[in-house]
């Protein structure tokens, strides 16, 4: 599963990426600082299962702080997108290509209004315009992919709807669009039976709906530490009532994570507070104080962790599952709850067995819920934070 960070230039995509991954990437106040995509490991945060069992886990991947388990996810930060990108403007097509493999988008917007539509420094810019611009470019990207083959397959698929969905899914297979998603979109839109008779605007409507379905999006209203942020946030809420918009300050999260890394403070990413551990100079104290009063106390956190969680668990519906049994939480080396895996929504106990190992799937007899000690069968639908033991032949 891959989470893509997108947005116009200079909104703080790389800052968000760095705060989430602590990878060394370039950050600067001029547009197109990032050219090649950055890939890194970020984390979603869940209540660890170790608390229920009164123990402390030793994760093989990720980490656990105060019984909050941080489970790795793939993150990608790309170049800024400007109007005309779908026709190759700015870093255009190459950049869109980088986004194909993403399962979900976090659109970073600059809610301070201090960057114009192309990412240059300004004042009083309304970020709602950026959202519309970006969505329009993404829709055109999908539309262009569709138009490449439209004539042939609208004719060929004069076509029962079924064949049409298959053909569309095939054309978009590089963008992780599947046939069920196409069918779902067709069911919800009121479009003429025969695609060959669709007007241009109807093809666009279809492309846009397919884009929204296959790349769901959360809006990270970044730079919320700025004094103009709250006014813009209010406006965005009114103009985009159906959108998932969450305030954040990537810059503050980055400062806190870096301070924690060098031992200055104790800070569990995503929490509302931190504890100062070492002697700080006046400047450091002041910077931390500002983060506390302008961000943490106002927004109940920096928002970065919350946004990653919303993308993975709320938008994508993924489930965090621990391999575990009630009497034995450890592996052969004595590590407690070493693994936690993220599985797609709707996964069953059998899917989990196959995920662990093909042999576990093939020889599946039953699974045991580590929390309740109840036996569950193949068809059992996994719940978030389940601990499950797979019993095989
Ligand atoms: N006040 C404030 N400034 C921020 C925040 N996040 C990022 N910035 C600043 O915004 C500017 C742009 O940050 P980047 O992370 O380089 O932005 P980007 O979106 O990756 O830019 P491109 O790679 O050029 O598209 C830098 O000067 C950052 O320090 C924030 O939360 N608050
Ligand atoms: Mg960047």
């Amino acid at each position: 599963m891959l989470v893509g960070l997108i947005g116009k230039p200079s909104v703080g995509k790389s800052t968000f990426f760095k705060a989430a991954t602590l990878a060394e990437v370039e950050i600067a106040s001029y547009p197109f600082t990032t050219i090649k995509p950055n890939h890194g490991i970020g984390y979603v945060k869940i209540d660890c299962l170790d608390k229920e069992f009164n123990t402390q886990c030793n994760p093989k991947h990720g980490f656990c702080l105060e019984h909050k388990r941080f489970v790795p996810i793939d993150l990608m930060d790309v170049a800024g997108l400007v109007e005309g990108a779908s026709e190759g403007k700015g870093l255009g097509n190459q950049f869109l290509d980088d986004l194909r493999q993403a399962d979900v988008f976090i659109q970073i917007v600059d809610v301070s209004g201090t960057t114009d539509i192309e990412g240059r420094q300004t004042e009083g810019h309304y970020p709602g315009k950026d959202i519309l611009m970006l969505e329009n470019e993404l829709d055109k990207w999908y539309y262009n992919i569709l138009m490449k083959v439209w004539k042939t397959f609208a004719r060929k698929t004069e076509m029962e709807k079924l064949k049409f969905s298959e053909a569309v899914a095939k054309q978009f297979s590089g963008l992780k669009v599947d046939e069920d998603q196409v069918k779902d979109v067709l069911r919800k839109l009121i479009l003429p039976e025969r695609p060959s008779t669709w007007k241009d605007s109807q093809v666009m409507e279809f492309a846009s709906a397919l884009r929204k379905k296959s790349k769901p999006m959360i809006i990270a209203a970044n730079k919320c530490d700025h004094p103009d942020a709250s006014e813009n946030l209010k406006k965005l809420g009114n103009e985009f009532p159906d959108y998932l918009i969450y305030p954040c300050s990537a810059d503050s999260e980055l400062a806190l994570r870096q301070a924690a890394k060098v031992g200055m403070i104790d800070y569990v990413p995503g929490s509302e507070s931190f504890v100062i551990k070492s002697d700080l100079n006046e400047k450091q104290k002041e910077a931390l104080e500002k983060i506390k009063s302008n961000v943490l106390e106002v927004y109940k956190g920096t928002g970065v962790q919350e946004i990653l969680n919303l993308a993975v668990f709320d938008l994508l519906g993924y489930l965090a599952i621990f391999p575990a049994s009630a009497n034995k939480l450890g592996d052969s080396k004595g590590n407690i709850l070493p693994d936690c895996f993220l599985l797609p929504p709707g996964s069953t106990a059998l899917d989990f067995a196959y995920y662990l190992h093909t042999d576990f799937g093939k020889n599946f007899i039953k699974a045991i819920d580590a929390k309740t000690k109840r036996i569950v069968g193949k068809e059992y639908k996994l719940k978030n934070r389940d601990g499950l033991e797979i019993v095989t032949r």
Side-chain angles (χ1 to χ4, degrees), residues 125-155:
H125 176 80
Y126 172 54
K129 289 185 193 157
D130 307 344
I131 297 177
L132 296 177
M133 181 279 287
L134 189 113
E135 289 207 293
N136 191 23
E137 290 305 324
L138 295 178
D139 287 348
K140 283 200 212 150
W141 172 38
Y142 268 58
Y143 173 84
N144 289 341
I145 293 171
L146 209 51
M147 281 326 265
K148 272 191 202 149
V149 288
W150 188 255
K151 277 216 180 93
T152 12
F153 74 55
R155 201 176 342 109

Side-chain angles (χ1 to χ4, degrees), residues 13-14 26 33-34 38 77-78:
K13 299 179 294 299
S14 299
E26 222 176 315
T33 304
T34 307
N38 297 308
D77 162 40
V78 297

Side-chain angles (χ1 to χ4, degrees), residues 12-47:
K13 299 179 294 299
S14 299
T15 309
F16 189 107
F17 177 83
K18 187 170 180 179
T21 62
L22 287 182
E24 279 310 322
V25 294
E26 222 176 315
I27 292 171
S29 59
Y30 51 82
F32 298 118
T33 304
T34 307
I35 294 177
K36 285 219 167 88
N38 297 308
H39 283 268
I41 306 287
Y43 303 91
V44 285
K45 176 185 181 181
I46 57 171
D47 290 328

Side-chain angles (χ1 to χ4, degrees), residues 9-15 28 32-34 80 222-223 225 249-251:
S10 293
V11 288
K13 299 179 294 299
S14 299
T15 309
F32 298 118
T33 304
T34 307
N222 192 35
K223 310 194 188 179
D225 49 278
S249 172
D251 207 31

